[in-house]
């Protein structure tokens, strides 16, 4: 379990990243996670500030350990394949699993008046705290992918300060520095930028259908690139004066994780096409933070064989069990 070694023909970073969420893996992963999907119950979490976030709760049939809360990436949702894969593995291992949607993700544009942005950390902190209070057990885990990994790390950083009964955090290919990742998306393989532009525009158009106070429809139609989208969004629909200020607001480099006080692991790959691994060196050095850096894996992929099974999902369970055993009374 210490090293990810992809099957022959699966080592390319772009193939890994694309296969992780498209094509035949949709069929395989939904079949493998049939129990998770069949047992899931939709639930709306309402934070003390009145924000409503939709998620899906599945209860384990095994000896219960606690709650595992999963956070998806940007323009993903609770049904993203990595959420299903990870959720089923954790369910089998004795965790109740709550797959949480961010605001305006997973078809929830109708639930809140204001638009999602990545600086809306407080509502995720409060949602995680409420879930741990309501469904928590002896070992409660928070796990996030990509942007969800970024949120996961920021929540973990505040867990003790906000008195959250959270015992462990695991972030898979977390976003480290937004300006760098946007630059990688703009200048890397064109398919990534096109994917996020399409998904983001679709989400913003859905928001218009539910909230008539927005009037950006005609402007949105003209936007073609992520740079154009970011400028339109940040200046027109956040409190930030520039995209630079906005992006720096949720960067976790420097002292961004200086308050960590729970065991936290980052699982990532050296060949991630969106998040340069060299930036791991710029994270705050903490006794609570471990880095699990693999040579291959792409972005949030780690597809280990031609059954398109995820090594990362198994790794999360391994790390959770390792920490869980440490928490058991002697």
């Amino acid at each position: 379990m210490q090293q990810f070694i992809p099957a022959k023909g699966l080592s390319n970073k772009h193939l890994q990243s694309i296969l992780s969420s498209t094509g035949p893996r949709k069929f395989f992963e939904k079949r493998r996670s049939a129990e998770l999907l069949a047992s899931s119950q939709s639930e709306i979490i309402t934070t003390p500030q009145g924000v409503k976030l939709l998620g899906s709760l599945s209860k384990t049939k095994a000896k219960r350990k606690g709650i595992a809360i999963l956070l998806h990436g940007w323009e993903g949702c609770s049904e993203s394949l990595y959420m299903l894969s990870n959720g089923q593995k954790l369910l089998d291992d004795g965790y109740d699993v709550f797959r949480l949607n961010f605001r305006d993700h997973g078809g929830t544009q109708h639930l809140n008046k204001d638009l999602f942005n990545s600086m809306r950390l407080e509502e995720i902190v409060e949602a995680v705290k409420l879930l741990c209070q309501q469904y928590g057990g002896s070992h409660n885990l928070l796990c996030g992918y990509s942007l969800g990994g970024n949120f996961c790390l920021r929540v973990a950083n505040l867990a003790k300060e906000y008195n959250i009964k959270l015992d462990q955090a695991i972030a898979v290919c977390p976003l480290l520095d937004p300006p760098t990742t946007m630059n990688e998306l703009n200048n890397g393989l064109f398919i990534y930028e096109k994917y996020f532009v399409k998904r983001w525009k679709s989400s913003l158009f859905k928001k218009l259908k539910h909230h008539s106070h927005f009037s950006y429809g005609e402007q949105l139609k003209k936007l073609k690139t992520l740079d154009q989208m970011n400028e339109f969004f940040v200046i027109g629909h956040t409190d930030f004066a520039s995209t630079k200020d906005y992006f720096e607001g949720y960067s976790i480099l420097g002292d961004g994780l200086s308050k960590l006080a729970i065991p936290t692991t980052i699982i990532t790959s050296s060949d991630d096409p969106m998040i340069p691994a060299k930036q791991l060196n710029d994270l705050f050095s903490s006794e609570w933070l471990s880095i699990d850096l693999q040579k291959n894996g792409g972005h949030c992929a780690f597809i280990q064989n031609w059954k398109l099974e995820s090594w990362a999902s198994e790794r999360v369970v391994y790390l959770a069990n390792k920490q869980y055993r440490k928490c058991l009374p002697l």
Side-chain angles (χ1 to χ4, degrees), residues 283-317:
L283 292 171
F284 186 85
S285 180
S286 170
E287 63 178 310
W288 297 102
L289 180 64
S290 300
I291 306 296
D292 190 346
L293 179 62
Q294 300 295 323
K295 178 181 178 181
N296 300 110
H299 183 65
C300 294
F302 299 99
I303 305 300
Q304 60 183 329
N305 53 42
W306 286 102
K307 295 179 182 179
L308 305 183
E309 294 175 306
S310 168
W311 173 89
S313 296
E314 296 178 2
R315 185 65 170 166
V316 168
V317 172

Side-chain angles (χ1 to χ4, degrees), residues 2-17 172-173 267-273 277 292-304 311-312 315:
Q2 295 299 318
Q3 186 178 2
F4 169 64
I5 303 175
K8 186 176 181 179
L10 280 174
S11 60
N12 181 271
K13 62 183 180 181
H14 298 304
L15 180 62
Q16 281 276 332
S17 303
V172 182
C173 296
I267 302 171
T268 193
S269 64
S270 294
D271 68 351
D272 190 318
D292 190 346
L293 179 62
Q294 300 295 323
K295 178 181 178 181
N296 300 110
H299 183 65
C300 294
F302 299 99
I303 305 300
Q304 60 183 329
W311 173 89
R315 185 65 170 166

Side-chain angles (χ1 to χ4, degrees), residues 51-54 71-77 82 100-125 127 145-152 154-155 175 178 182 196 199-208 211 213-214 216 220 226 229-230 232-240 246-247 250:
V51 176
K52 297 182 183 298
L53 300 174
L54 176 68
L71 303 177
H72 59 78
W74 184 35
E75 295 306 328
C77 68
Y82 49 80
L100 182 67
N101 287 294
F102 293 135
R103 177 197 295 240
D104 293 347
H105 289 70
T108 64
Q109 285 85 354
H110 62 290
L111 288 180
N112 300 285
K113 178 181 177 181
D114 296 324
L115 291 167
F116 168 83
N117 72 59
S118 299
M119 284 298 290
R120 296 192 185 278
L121 178 61
E122 184 178 31
E123 61 200 52
I124 305 303
V125 169
Y145 283 72
S146 194
L147 179 61
N150 174 280
F151 270 93
C152 171
R154 286 187 288 156
V155 172
L175 175 64
M182 281 299 169
F196 283 113
R199 295 295 295 264
W200 192 9
K201 288 180 77 170
S202 175
S203 175
L204 289 169
F205 278 124
K206 287 178 183 177
K207 192 77 173 182
L208 287 175
H211 301 280
H213 64 283
F214 289 119
Y216 54 70
L220 185 59
L226 274 178
M229 293 280 291
N230 283 320
F232 143 81
F233 175 73
V234 173
I235 302 304
H237 299 281
T238 76
D239 294 330
F240 291 88
Y246 171 65
F247 287 146
Y250 62 104

Side-chain angles (χ1 to χ4, degrees), residues 173-196:
C173 296
L175 175 64
L176 303 176
D177 184 56
T180 301
T181 291
M182 281 299 169
N183 184 61
E184 295 291 326
L185 290 173
N186 286 329
N187 297 293
L189 189 66
F190 74 95
I191 194 171
Y192 300 127
E193 182 189 24
K194 297 299 182 186
Y195 171 84
F196 283 113

Side-chain angles (χ1 to χ4, degrees), residues 43-158:
E43 182 174 338
I44 292 178
I45 304 298
T46 303
T47 74
Q49 291 74 34
V51 176
K52 297 182 183 298
L53 300 174
L54 176 68
S56 295
L57 174 68
S58 300
K59 293 191 175 182
T60 185
K61 295 179 181 177
K63 183 179 179 181
R64 186 174 182 274
K65 296 175 179 177
I67 184 75
I69 303 164
L70 305 185
L71 303 177
H72 59 78
W74 184 35
E75 295 306 328
C77 68
S78 60
E79 303 290 309
S80 293
L81 298 184
Y82 49 80
M83 297 280 277
L84 301 184
S85 172
N86 203 345
Q88 183 64 58
K89 294 287 186 184
L90 288 163
L91 190 73
D92 292 340
D93 198 59
Y95 290 89
D96 291 341
V97 176
F98 197 96
R99 293 173 287 126
L100 182 67
N101 287 294
F102 293 135
R103 177 197 295 240
D104 293 347
H105 289 70
T108 64
Q109 285 85 354
H110 62 290
L111 288 180
N112 300 285
K113 178 181 177 181
D114 296 324
L115 291 167
F116 168 83
N117 72 59
S118 299
M119 284 298 290
R120 296 192 185 278
L121 178 61
E122 184 178 31
E123 61 200 52
I124 305 303
V125 169
E126 294 292 355
V128 170
K129 183 175 182 177
L130 288 169
L131 287 167
C132 288
Q133 289 173 342
Q134 187 169 355
Y135 300 114
S138 58
H139 186 252
N140 302 321
L141 170 70
L142 180 64
C143 180
Y145 283 72
S146 194
L147 179 61
N150 174 280
F151 270 93
C152 171
L153 294 170
R154 286 187 288 156
V155 172
N157 190 56
L158 298 176

